[in-house]
PDB file of all heavy atoms in Angstrom:
ATOM      1  N   ILE B 170       8.407 -11.569  53.735  1.00  0.00           N
ATOM      2  CA  ILE B 170       7.134 -11.453  53.039  1.00  0.00           C
ATOM      3  C   ILE B 170       6.365 -12.769  53.033  1.00  0.00           C
ATOM      4  O   ILE B 170       5.140 -12.786  52.941  1.00  0.00           O
ATOM      5  CB  ILE B 170       7.367 -10.951  51.598  1.00  0.00           C
ATOM      6  CG1 ILE B 170       6.138 -10.247  51.043  1.00  0.00           C
ATOM      7  CG2 ILE B 170       7.720 -12.042  50.651  1.00  0.00           C
ATOM      8  CD1 ILE B 170       6.157  -8.822  51.334  1.00  0.00           C
ATOM      9  N   GLY B 171       7.099 -13.889  53.106  1.00  0.00           N
ATOM     10  CA  GLY B 171       6.447 -15.170  52.900  1.00  0.00           C
ATOM     11  C   GLY B 171       6.423 -16.073  54.128  1.00  0.00           C
ATOM     12  O   GLY B 171       5.612 -16.979  54.219  1.00  0.00           O
ATOM     13  N   GLY B 172       7.361 -15.816  55.054  1.00  0.00           N
ATOM     14  CA  GLY B 172       7.482 -16.727  56.170  1.00  0.00           C
ATOM     15  C   GLY B 172       8.008 -18.064  55.688  1.00  0.00           C
ATOM     16  O   GLY B 172       8.831 -18.110  54.771  1.00  0.00           O
ATOM     17  N   ALA B 173       7.523 -19.150  56.267  1.00  0.00           N
ATOM     18  CA  ALA B 173       8.045 -20.473  55.896  1.00  0.00           C
ATOM     19  C   ALA B 173       6.931 -21.490  55.866  1.00  0.00           C
ATOM     20  O   ALA B 173       6.976 -22.502  56.548  1.00  0.00           O
ATOM     21  CB  ALA B 173       9.148 -20.882  56.878  1.00  0.00           C
ATOM     22  N   ILE B 174       5.890 -21.220  55.097  1.00  0.00           N
ATOM     23  CA  ILE B 174       4.789 -22.167  54.991  1.00  0.00           C
ATOM     24  C   ILE B 174       5.192 -23.245  53.993  1.00  0.00           C
ATOM     25  O   ILE B 174       5.402 -22.935  52.820  1.00  0.00           O
ATOM     26  CB  ILE B 174       3.500 -21.472  54.520  1.00  0.00           C
ATOM     27  CG1 ILE B 174       3.209 -20.268  55.417  1.00  0.00           C
ATOM     28  CG2 ILE B 174       2.334 -22.448  54.478  1.00  0.00           C
ATOM     29  CD1 ILE B 174       2.203 -19.305  54.825  1.00  0.00           C
ATOM     30  N   PRO B 175       5.335 -24.505  54.429  1.00  0.00           N
ATOM     31  CA  PRO B 175       5.777 -25.551  53.484  1.00  0.00           C
ATOM     32  C   PRO B 175       4.831 -25.643  52.290  1.00  0.00           C
ATOM     33  O   PRO B 175       3.608 -25.600  52.459  1.00  0.00           O
ATOM     34  CB  PRO B 175       5.741 -26.827  54.318  1.00  0.00           C
ATOM     35  CG  PRO B 175       5.853 -26.352  55.738  1.00  0.00           C
ATOM     36  CD  PRO B 175       5.168 -25.026  55.779  1.00  0.00           C
ATOM     37  N   GLY B 176       5.405 -25.741  51.108  1.00  0.00           N
ATOM     38  CA  GLY B 176       4.595 -25.888  49.883  1.00  0.00           C
ATOM     39  C   GLY B 176       4.020 -24.581  49.382  1.00  0.00           C
ATOM     40  O   GLY B 176       3.534 -24.504  48.257  1.00  0.00           O
ATOM     41  N   GLU B 177       4.072 -23.531  50.187  1.00  0.00           N
ATOM     42  CA  GLU B 177       3.510 -22.253  49.738  1.00  0.00           C
ATOM     43  C   GLU B 177       4.611 -21.191  49.681  1.00  0.00           C
ATOM     44  O   GLU B 177       4.795 -20.546  48.655  1.00  0.00           O
ATOM     45  CB  GLU B 177       2.397 -21.820  50.706  1.00  0.00           C
ATOM     46  CG  GLU B 177       1.718 -20.494  50.361  1.00  0.00           C
ATOM     47  CD  GLU B 177       0.832 -20.558  49.133  1.00  0.00           C
ATOM     48  OE1 GLU B 177       0.296 -21.648  48.819  1.00  0.00           O
ATOM     49  OE2 GLU B 177       0.688 -19.503  48.449  1.00  0.00           O
ATOM     50  N   THR B 178       5.356 -21.054  50.770  1.00  0.00           N
ATOM     51  CA  THR B 178       6.399 -20.018  50.784  1.00  0.00           C
ATOM     52  C   THR B 178       7.729 -20.511  51.337  1.00  0.00           C
ATOM     53  O   THR B 178       8.655 -19.728  51.458  1.00  0.00           O
ATOM     54  CB  THR B 178       5.945 -18.815  51.640  1.00  0.00           C
ATOM     55  OG1 THR B 178       5.728 -19.265  52.975  1.00  0.00           O
ATOM     56  CG2 THR B 178       4.698 -18.180  51.093  1.00  0.00           C
ATOM     57  N   GLN B 179       7.834 -21.791  51.689  1.00  0.00           N
ATOM     58  CA  GLN B 179       9.102 -22.246  52.241  1.00  0.00           C
ATOM     59  C   GLN B 179      10.064 -22.662  51.129  1.00  0.00           C
ATOM     60  O   GLN B 179       9.937 -23.728  50.541  1.00  0.00           O
ATOM     61  CB  GLN B 179       8.878 -23.427  53.198  1.00  0.00           C
ATOM     62  CG  GLN B 179      10.128 -23.720  54.008  1.00  0.00           C
ATOM     63  CD  GLN B 179      10.074 -25.088  54.660  1.00  0.00           C
ATOM     64  OE1 GLN B 179       9.708 -26.057  54.009  1.00  0.00           O
ATOM     65  NE2 GLN B 179      10.434 -25.141  55.930  1.00  0.00           N
TER      66      GLN B 179
END
Side-chain angles (χ1 to χ4, degrees):
Chain B
I170 205 90
I174 307 164
E177 180 71 28
T178 61
Q179 192 196 46

